[in-house]
Amino acid sequence: MTLQQLRYLIAIADSGLNITLAAERVYATQPGISKQLKQLEDELGLRIFTRKGKSLDSITPAGQTIIERARVILREAANIKSLAADSRADAKGAITIATTHTQARFVLPEALARFRQRYPDVSLHIAQESDADIVAKVKSGAVEFGFNSSTGAASEGLISLPAYRWQRVVLVPKDHPLTQLKRPLQLADLAKYPLVSYDSSVNADSSLTQAFREQGLAPKYAITARDADVIKTYVRAGMGVGILAEMAVSRDDLNELVALPAPSAIPSCLTWVLLRHNTLLRRYGRQLLEWLTPHIGQAELEAIIAGQSSVYPLIDRTPRWSQGSIDIIKAA
């Protein structure tokens, strides 16, 4: 049994049992990965996957346990490498962050630019994903960090560190009727117009859709997109009323558009930094974590990562975006 075989095994499990896709993800050939899987199953004397013809069909009960243990082994092997590299004071490596377009485009650049200045030999990779896919990638070990948002609790099964709070805003052209209201916006006001928002808004568990539902309203989505810049483009084109994160609205946008506070019935969001339990971060990884959560002290951060402290007392002192979490990063 080799670590390479275990890597292939995890890649197959995380690729929906699609060996072709798994081979692409680990830069191997399909025949090569199939051969290694057969050798592993022959050595263990059992089937990890059931077959349907030449394709893998499902994971056997024994296979589920083997895959779980394989993840632990690979994580510990990575921890050993990290420990050795830090002992050599080696500041070379790579970090992959799974995040949404909004965070990658409007929130992370300042912190990552500062990181590159400090650690020029560490390459940074941004994987733009949906919130659900971000959680899955962190859990699978495909990325070191996740950076996503929710209106509810932290993600189960991961270390979730609160980074900052934010609100949604309503974005409309300057001559839009909503700009003439002499009172705060209500959801009923928005329900009268086609909406342009994130593609996650149409999900059944979307906090935005739930807010409308709780008031007996049915939002009409004209266009949804993952990219905040695309949303703003279609608002400028008169396609509908935009609802997006406040971080995504720049001063330049306000030359043509008006940003209005979202109705109070739409809940605020909390952005989290996600990482796996029992992961030994390189020294530069810990530094990036400190810059992304500057309101958490170093000792407190280490205690949370070690499982000796809870993140929930931190939520009350998590800064608002309007308080400038990025400004704190700049000044740290």
Side-chain angles (χ1 to χ4, degrees):
M1 185 189 307
T2 66
L3 291 178
Q4 188 71 286
Q5 288 174 333
L6 298 184
R7 290 190 186 96
Y8 290 169
L9 177 62
I10 298 304
I12 293 170
D14 291 342
S15 300
L17 310 190
N18 185 322
I19 293 182
T20 301
L21 179 58
E24 292 175 358
R25 289 182 172 180
V26 295
Y27 306 103
T29 64
Q30 182 176 346
I33 204 170
S34 297
K35 179 181 178 180
Q36 291 296 321
L37 174 60
K38 184 179 184 303
Q39 289 179 352
L40 179 59
E41 289 185 322
D42 288 347
E43 179 179 349
L44 297 176
L46 55 78
R47 292 295 188 189
I48 299 174
F49 303 101
T50 63
R51 270 80 170 171
K52 181 177 291 185
K54 294 184 178 180
S55 300
L56 301 182
D57 184 52
S58 64
I59 304 175
T60 66
Q64 293 281 8
T65 303
I66 290 169
I67 289 170
E68 290 174 8
R69 300 310 303 168
R71 293 188 191 278
V72 173
I73 292 168
L74 291 177
R75 186 162 56 241
E76 287 304 314
N79 287 344
I80 291 171
K81 289 183 178 180
S82 295
L83 182 62
D86 274 352
S87 297
R88 299 192 306 268
D90 184 358
K92 297 180 180 179
I95 291 179
T96 302
I97 302 172
T99 188
T100 62
H101 168 270
T102 295
Q103 306 295 340
R105 168 74 173 81
F106 301 102
V107 178
L108 288 174
E110 293 287 349
L112 297 189
R114 183 183 178 202
F115 180 88
R116 282 287 297 166
Q117 290 178 347
R118 176 74 66 87
Y119 300 102
D121 293 325
V122 179
S123 59
L124 295 165
H125 307 282
I126 304 294
Q128 293 187 48
E129 307 284 353
S130 67
D131 285 320
D133 287 341
I134 291 168
V135 172
K137 280 187 174 291
V138 177
K139 286 184 176 180
S140 72
V143 302
E144 285 76 23
F145 294 117
F147 205 60
N148 79 337
S149 303
S150 72
T151 58
S155 300
E156 292 185 6
L158 293 172
I159 297 174
S160 302
L161 302 167
Y164 67 95
R165 296 178 179 277
W166 54 274
Q167 305 284 345
R168 276 166 279 206
V169 296
V170 173
L171 203 62
V172 293
K174 289 188 174 182
D175 59 352
H176 197 278
L178 289 179
T179 64
Q180 306 304 313
L181 296 178
K182 304 301 182 182
R183 55 172 174 76
L185 284 180
Q186 305 295 320
L187 284 179
D189 300 321
L190 300 183
K192 298 175 182 177
Y193 299 95
L195 304 179
V196 184
S197 191
Y198 298 106
D199 53 8
S200 59
S201 300
V202 298
N203 295 340
D205 59 351
S206 161
S207 59
L208 179 60
T209 297
Q210 287 179 354
F212 279 101
R213 188 185 304 125
E214 288 171 1
Q215 295 195 11
L217 299 169
K220 301 184 292 289
Y221 292 105
I223 294 178
T224 63
R226 182 176 294 186
D227 187 322
D229 289 323
V230 171
I231 293 172
K232 291 185 287 187
T233 295
Y234 284 103
V235 172
R236 291 189 187 96
M239 299 293 287
V241 172
I243 302 178
L244 69 170
E246 61 180 308
M247 306 86 68
V249 179
S250 69
R251 290 184 180 89
D252 289 341
D253 294 324
L254 300 182
N255 292 331
E256 304 175 73
L257 303 172
V258 176
L260 304 170
S264 58
I266 299 177
S268 62
C269 296
L270 185 61
T271 292
W272 306 86
V273 182
L274 309 176
L275 63 155
R276 297 183 306 283
H277 290 282
N278 303 315
T279 296
L280 181 63
L281 293 175
R282 296 285 303 276
R283 184 177 292 110
Y284 56 71
R286 294 195 298 273
Q287 179 66 82
L288 178 59
L289 200 57
E290 291 174 17
W291 286 342
L292 293 175
T293 56
H295 54 290
I296 305 176
Q298 183 177 2
E300 198 168 24
L301 195 59
E302 294 290 345
I304 293 170
I305 294 174
Q308 300 169 353
S309 181
S310 169
V311 301
Y312 289 99
L314 303 174
I315 294 177
D316 289 340
R317 70 172 195 257
T318 300
R320 273 285 318 276
W321 172 261
S322 59
Q323 295 173 358
S325 58
I326 283 302
D327 289 338
I328 295 174
I329 291 173
K330 289 179 183 177

